[in-house]
Amino acid sequence: MSASLRLGLLRDPNFGRLFAATALGQLGDRIIFMALPLVAIVALKGDEFQVGLLTAMTTAGSLLVGLPAGAWVDRMRKRSVMISTDLVRALVLLTIPMAWSADLLTIWWLYAVALVHGVLTVFFDVAYVSYLPHLVGRGNLVEGNSKLSAMRSVTSISGPAVAGPLIGWVGAPATLLASSVGMALSGLLATSIRTRERKSETSEHPQLRRDIKEGLKFVLEHPVLRATMLGDAIFNLFLVMYQTMLLVFLGREMGFGSFGIGLILSGMGCGALLGALLATRVSKRVGQGPVIWLAPLVTCPLTVLMPLARPGWSMYAAAIGLAALSLGGVVRFVAQSSLQQALTPDRLLGRMSATARFVSWGCLPLGGILGGASGSVFGATATLWIGAVGMTLSFLANFMSPLRNMRTWPYAQNIPSAFSEA
């Protein structure tokens, strides 16, 4: 295969700039994923419920602004939304190392930063998902999502690998300075993307409630979009329960330090990278619909290896189970995101993304609270078992839908071009 074929969309300078900006932002985000809970666990001596509540605050934005975010983003230039939210998130994260150095940091400060950061992330993600079909074209969605997922997987490896030693060296609060820098650089790099949207056509008197209702109706009445949204909701609920207690389990019950935890999370990144590299090939071989329900059914059961693990060789098997979870998650994500984008007209992309996020990601705060409560009552090990079983059963929502036998899917029709060169 020639180099140009392997590069594909990366030959497009505008997609290349988006790719690089996403890499920087994702690197910062992966550091946050590891460092923020460790600020609560190590620096502030938080208990299991406080760690769960911190996770809930991080993801509560989907419930608070999930639906109106889509209607607002559909009226804006998505690129501008991505740039502004990146820069503001960088400033918000910067307050944690500043507060720590001034001896002012508390668990409530962490809650506030997590909540604000999460709300801004909702707007960023809705804009990001809505922007990609315009930038690459609907025929290139699987390739675009695969390449971006591969890059995210690389940052899933490098992020914890960087964060672990950095936390051990300067502490978890100061490590968030690196996340702030990554977010800021991502926003600045995105300003160099020359391809921009034309301003959205809206009525003279736009009505937020009407726009939200239109997005909800489109998603909830579409049997395929409805199924993927429900499957995501179940999976995310139990995934967050699992993740909430994973760091507690590794740190307190298995005795791992930040470096060891970083290595295990980097292993998850390796699985995600392999999933991104295989996503297009697997979708073509298995079918674009069946792969969405087969991925969790095949890979999620392996997560029970973690609560079964003991110090020694069994931890290697448990780490492989986590890598398999990431592999299946990325394969499913690439196929599912491409499906959702392909089935949605341009004018509804923001609202589709926001509605799906509101329903499926709205379970994340509940998962954080339930994970913390379960960890306090039953312990971290039992909570990992509950999470593993729940994630596996999430395949049923998609299996019982038209996706069961849908090997290919139609694209939204009559989609006009929405971009021009700056």
Side-chain angles (χ1 to χ4, degrees):
M1 183 183 293
S2 67
S4 62
L5 288 176
R6 287 195 299 269
L7 287 174
L9 284 172
L10 290 174
R11 292 176 295 167
D12 178 358
N14 290 305
F15 181 79
R17 293 182 185 112
L18 177 67
F19 185 89
T22 304
L24 288 168
Q26 286 291 314
L27 182 60
D29 197 55
R30 298 314 298 174
I31 294 174
I32 294 169
F33 175 78
M34 181 173 176
L36 194 61
L38 288 179
V39 173
I41 295 170
V42 178
L44 299 179
K45 310 300 180 185
D47 59 29
E48 285 83 354
F49 185 75
Q50 288 175 321
V51 175
L53 189 56
L54 177 62
T55 301
M57 291 295 103
T58 303
T59 55
S62 296
L63 285 176
L64 295 177
V65 298
L67 290 177
W72 285 325
V73 167
D74 275 339
R75 301 172 187 172
M76 304 175 186
R77 287 190 171 96
K78 281 72 174 175
R79 171 180 168 275
S80 299
V81 175
M82 291 161 55
I83 293 168
S84 58
T85 51
D86 258 345
L87 296 177
V88 177
R89 285 190 297 173
L91 291 174
V92 170
L93 289 170
L94 187 59
T95 67
I96 293 180
M98 292 175 63
W100 176 255
S101 64
D103 200 26
L104 296 174
L105 188 62
T106 65
I107 192 68
W108 292 101
W109 192 301
L110 284 188
Y111 292 158
V113 169
L115 181 61
V116 173
H117 183 273
V119 168
L120 292 169
T121 299
V122 171
F123 281 93
F124 177 89
D125 287 348
V126 169
Y128 187 88
V129 170
S130 306
Y131 186 72
L132 186 64
H134 297 300
L135 187 63
V136 304
R138 291 172 180 270
N140 294 316
L141 282 173
V142 173
E143 181 189 351
N145 281 312
S146 294
K147 281 183 163 54
L148 292 170
S149 292
M151 177 275 303
R152 292 189 194 100
S153 303
V154 171
T155 60
S156 295
I157 300 168
S158 56
V162 169
L166 195 57
I167 291 170
W169 180 35
V170 300
T175 299
L176 287 169
L177 179 61
S179 296
S180 177
V181 171
M183 293 286 181
L185 291 175
S186 173
L188 293 174
L189 185 57
T191 63
S192 67
I193 299 175
R194 294 181 58 82
T195 303
R196 302 178 185 177
E197 308 135 289
R198 297 190 186 101
K199 190 172 182 180
S200 301
E201 296 181 5
T202 57
S203 63
E204 280 187 34
H205 304 287
Q207 297 180 16
L208 183 62
R209 182 177 297 180
R210 182 198 62 196
D211 290 347
I212 292 173
K213 183 178 178 180
E214 185 181 13
L216 273 170
K217 182 179 179 181
F218 174 75
V219 174
L220 294 178
E221 290 185 355
H222 198 298
V224 173
L225 296 180
R226 185 174 64 242
T228 59
M229 192 169 56
L230 177 59
D232 252 2
I234 299 170
F235 178 84
N236 287 338
L237 173 69
F238 290 100
L239 173 66
V240 172
M241 288 185 67
Y242 191 97
Q243 289 180 329
T244 299
M245 286 299 105
L246 179 60
L247 293 182
V248 176
F249 176 81
L250 292 173
R252 293 182 177 170
E253 299 195 19
M254 301 298 291
F256 281 93
S258 59
F259 181 74
I261 294 174
L263 286 178
I264 291 174
L265 296 183
S266 293
M268 293 181 70
C270 291
L273 176 59
L274 183 59
L277 295 175
L278 295 175
T280 302
R281 187 179 305 171
V282 172
S283 292
K284 289 179 179 178
R285 182 175 293 272
V286 176
Q288 294 170 321
V291 75
I292 294 175
W293 61 265
L294 274 171
L297 178 62
V298 172
T299 59
C300 288
L302 296 176
T303 57
V304 301
L305 295 173
M306 182 57 70
L308 288 171
R310 298 294 181 270
W313 68 268
S314 60
M315 272 306 303
Y316 295 106
I320 292 173
L322 293 182
L325 171 67
S326 295
L327 186 155
V330 170
V331 169
R332 180 180 64 89
F333 172 80
V334 169
Q336 183 170 293
S337 297
S338 303
L339 164 67
Q340 292 170 335
Q341 292 162 339
L343 293 177
T344 306
D346 279 357
R347 67 183 187 86
L348 289 172
L349 276 167
R351 279 167 283 177
M352 177 280 295
S353 175
T355 300
R357 186 185 179 102
F358 175 78
V359 175
S360 60
W361 286 49
C363 291
L364 299 183
L366 179 60
I369 293 173
L370 289 177
S374 176
S376 297
V377 175
F378 304 113
T381 302
T383 304
L384 294 181
W385 273 100
I386 295 170
V389 173
M391 286 188 287
T392 301
L393 293 177
S394 69
F395 88 95
L396 288 171
N398 290 310
F399 178 77
M400 298 174 68
S401 79
L403 282 171
R404 183 169 65 251
N405 299 311
M406 185 184 292
R407 298 192 63 83
T408 60
W409 51 70
Y411 292 96
Q413 301 298 313
N414 303 320
I415 306 299
S417 174
F419 278 76
S420 62
E421 284 292 320

